[in-house]
Amino acid sequence: ILQNVFLLLACIIRVSASRESGASSLDADASAAPDNTVDTEFHKEARIPESTSAKIAQQDTELDDDEEADDEDEYDNEYENEEDDQDDHDGDSFFEADQNEQNPRVIQRRGYKTNTNAGFLVDFHQDLKCSDFHHTASPIHDDATWVFMRSVYNAIVGPSNSTLPNDDLYGSGWSVPVYVGHHPFMGRGVFAQQFIAQGTPIWRNKYTARFTQGWQFRNFLLTLPRQLSCDVLIWSYVIQLDSGVQACTDLDAGSFVNQALREGEANTGLEFAPNAHLSATATKDIVPGEQLIAEYGDFSYPSGWYNLGLSQWW
C-alpha cells in the first residue's frame, strides 16, 4: 500500500512540473510572436512608396477642393431656391404698413434699379426678368388670383383710397357671359359665350385698381409674385381725369381684352361716366366664340406715365 502511495505522489509531482514547463514555453512563444494589432499609420508609411503617397495626397487635396466647390454650388443653389421661393410667396403676407405714412413699408422685392420711389416701367420689366415668360403659355387666372391681387391693392393704397368695392372683393365687372381663351396670334383673349346684340352693355370697371401716385403703383409691382407683376405691366394703362392722371389695372378678365390690330376691327366701345367709371358696350353684333376687341385709344392716355414718374419721356 505504501509503495502505491509513493508512486501516485511521484506522478502528481511529475505532471505539475510538466504543466509549469509548458506554460513557460507558451509565454516565451507569445513574447516572440509579432503583434497582430494593425497600426494603420505604420503600414501606410511602410507599404506605400513615397511617389504614390504624394500622388494620393494631391488627389486628396483635389477632392477636398471639389467638395468645397460642390458645397459652394449647393449653397448657391439653395440661395437661389430660397429667392425663388421668396418670389413665389412674396404675396402671401403682402404688407407691413402704416397708412398714415406717405410711403407704406411694404414687404417687397427690390431690384437693381427699382424700389418704392424709383424705377421706370422699362426698369421693372428688366428687374423682374419678364422676358422669361415670353416663351411660355401665359396663365389664365382664376377667381382666387383676382381676389388676391385686389387684396394687395387695398393693402397698399388703404381702404379710404381704394377704388374697389370695400364690401365685395369677389365678382366680376362683366354683365354678359364670356370666357378667356388663347388666341393663336394675340395670346390670351376674351370671347363671347353667347350672342351679344349691338348696344348691349358688357363690362364696367367695378374691379379696376386706380393709382394716383407713382409710388403706389411701384409698391404694387414690387409686392406681387413676379409673373403677376409682369402681367400688370402688360395690362395697365393711364387715364386722364379732371383731377389728374391715374394708373389703372383691371383686376378681372377685362385685362385680357385685346387691342384692335386694324381700323374698324373693334367690336366694343368704352366711355367714361361722370363718376370716372369706365364702361364698355358692344358696337356690333357679336356671335358666340367671337373675340371681344377694343380700341385702346378710346380711353388710354399714354403720356400719363411720365406725369406719374414711371416713364422717362413722352
Side-chain angles (χ1 to χ4, degrees):
I1 295 173
L2 289 174
Q3 186 177 2
N4 291 334
V5 170
F6 285 128
L7 289 173
L8 180 61
L9 288 173
C11 289
I12 292 172
I13 293 170
R14 185 177 297 175
V15 170
S16 176
S18 176
R19 285 181 177 176
E20 289 178 1
S21 176
S24 299
S25 177
L26 288 172
D27 289 343
D29 291 341
S31 62
D35 185 5
N36 289 326
T37 303
V38 176
D39 183 345
T40 305
E41 293 301 320
F42 169 80
H43 285 283
K44 187 176 181 179
E45 294 298 328
R47 297 182 181 180
I48 301 177
E50 290 185 2
S51 59
T52 305
S53 179
K55 185 179 293 185
I56 289 176
Q58 181 180 358
Q59 291 173 347
D60 288 343
T61 302
E62 292 174 355
L63 287 172
D64 289 341
D65 291 340
D66 290 340
E67 288 175 358
E68 290 178 4
D70 290 340
D71 290 342
E72 291 178 359
D73 291 340
E74 183 177 358
Y75 172 81
D76 290 342
N77 291 335
E78 289 179 356
Y79 179 74
E80 290 173 1
N81 290 335
E82 288 175 1
E83 282 189 325
D84 290 341
D85 290 341
Q86 181 64 30
D87 285 347
D88 291 340
H89 294 89
D90 270 345
D92 291 349
S93 54
F94 40 79
F95 84 110
E96 178 182 306
D98 179 356
Q99 297 298 343
N100 294 323
E101 292 184 358
Q102 181 180 3
N103 295 345
R105 295 187 302 277
V106 178
I107 295 176
Q108 58 192 222
R109 175 192 313 105
R110 290 180 179 270
Y112 295 106
K113 300 179 181 179
T114 55
N115 55 57
T116 298
N117 296 309
F120 301 125
L121 299 181
V122 64
D123 298 325
F124 278 95
H125 189 278
Q126 292 174 355
D127 277 356
L128 292 168
K129 299 181 180 178
C130 293
S131 57
D132 291 351
F133 306 113
H134 290 176
H135 304 292
T136 60
S138 300
I140 295 174
H141 303 309
D142 57 15
D143 292 341
T145 302
W146 295 121
V147 171
F148 165 70
M149 296 178 75
R150 295 166 190 172
S151 299
V152 172
Y153 165 73
N154 280 344
I156 289 173
V157 302
S160 60
N161 295 318
S162 174
T163 54
L164 305 181
N166 292 325
D167 58 342
D168 183 18
L169 288 182
Y170 300 85
S172 169
W174 292 94
S175 53
V176 295
V178 297
Y179 66 93
V180 179
H182 285 95
H183 187 276
F185 306 112
M186 303 175 75
R188 293 168 292 187
V190 179
F191 301 84
Q193 278 191 345
Q194 64 184 35
F195 177 80
I196 303 173
Q198 181 179 359
T200 302
I202 59 175
W203 178 86
R204 64 187 181 94
N205 63 346
K206 179 180 179 181
Y207 292 100
T208 296
R210 301 211 299 266
F211 305 86
T212 58
Q213 303 291 328
W215 65 263
Q216 296 172 333
F217 189 76
R218 291 191 188 95
N219 274 357
F220 192 55
L221 293 173
L222 291 165
T223 305
L224 292 172
R226 189 161 65 98
Q227 189 166 13
L228 286 180
S229 297
C230 292
D231 273 345
V232 168
L233 287 172
I234 297 171
W235 301 334
S236 299
Y237 54 93
V238 176
I239 59 174
Q240 185 176 32
L241 305 172
D242 292 339
S243 58
V245 297
Q246 297 180 355
C248 299
T249 308
D250 301 327
L251 298 181
D252 65 5
S255 283
F256 295 133
V257 175
N258 283 313
Q259 155 80 351
L261 300 180
R262 294 178 293 275
E263 186 176 355
E265 185 181 19
N267 53 16
T268 66
L270 293 99
E271 59 181 15
F272 284 105
N275 56 4
H277 284 172
L278 186 65
S279 60
T281 303
T283 57
K284 303 176 182 178
D285 288 344
I286 302 173
V287 300
E290 183 178 351
Q291 184 178 187
L292 278 61
I293 301 293
E295 177 51 66
Y296 290 175
D298 290 346
F299 58 91
S300 179
Y301 180 65
S303 60
W305 290 116
Y306 176 82
N307 299 80
L308 292 169
L310 290 163
S311 179
Q312 199 165 5
W313 66 84
W314 278 100

